[in-house]
Amino acid sequence: ESASFEIDNAPPIVTTGTPKREGNVILVPFEVRDADSPLTRVEYAIDAQPWQSTFPQDAILDSRQEQFLLRLDAEHAGRTLVIRAIDAMNNMGAGQVQLQ
């Protein structure tokens, strides 16, 4: 016998919205949710460059569902944005979107 423990093999789900260009900025809305564990890290990379941390709109990464809005320089138009999210059980999920 052992003490009970949680098993969570499901990765977070990253859902990207349509990027919008506003002047010299590209706005990329996206949502990350996980069915079982709170999110612990969300990062993005443009065209396989180094990963950069990002935070949800409420500025606190503390729940199983969070809303994000990335503000990127318009110079990134035509490139690929990859978003990865990691939950408390170290499961990783990813999504990508083409920047316009």
Side-chain angles (χ1 to χ4, degrees), residues 47-85:
D47 283 347
Q49 295 298 314
W51 292 102
Q52 299 181 50
S53 295
T54 187
F55 294 93
Q57 289 183 334
D58 69 2
I60 303 170
L61 190 58
D62 62 349
S63 66
R64 295 183 324 201
Q65 181 174 347
E66 297 283 1
Q67 303 288 325
F68 294 79
L69 182 63
L70 277 180
R71 296 177 192 327
L72 303 171
D73 290 337
E75 69 185 33
H76 297 300
R79 297 183 178 181
T80 301
L81 171 70
V82 178
I83 300 162
R84 72 178 176 187

Side-chain angles (χ1 to χ4, degrees), residues 13-56:
I13 297 171
V14 177
T15 306
T16 58
T18 303
K20 278 197 307 190
R21 190 164 179 171
E22 291 185 3
N24 292 333
V25 175
I26 301 172
L27 301 174
V28 184
F30 67 96
E31 176 183 87
V32 181
R33 81 177 79 125
D34 191 277
D36 297 315
S37 301
L39 301 166
T40 58
R41 189 168 67 208
V42 178
E43 300 170 314
Y44 70 93
I46 299 170
D47 283 347
Q49 295 298 314
W51 292 102
Q52 299 181 50
S53 295
T54 187
F55 294 93

Side-chain angles (χ1 to χ4, degrees), residues 88-100:
M89 300 299 283
N90 287 323
N91 298 307
M92 189 206 44
Q96 72 178 32
V97 66
Q98 189 71 27
L99 299 174
Q100 304 168 358

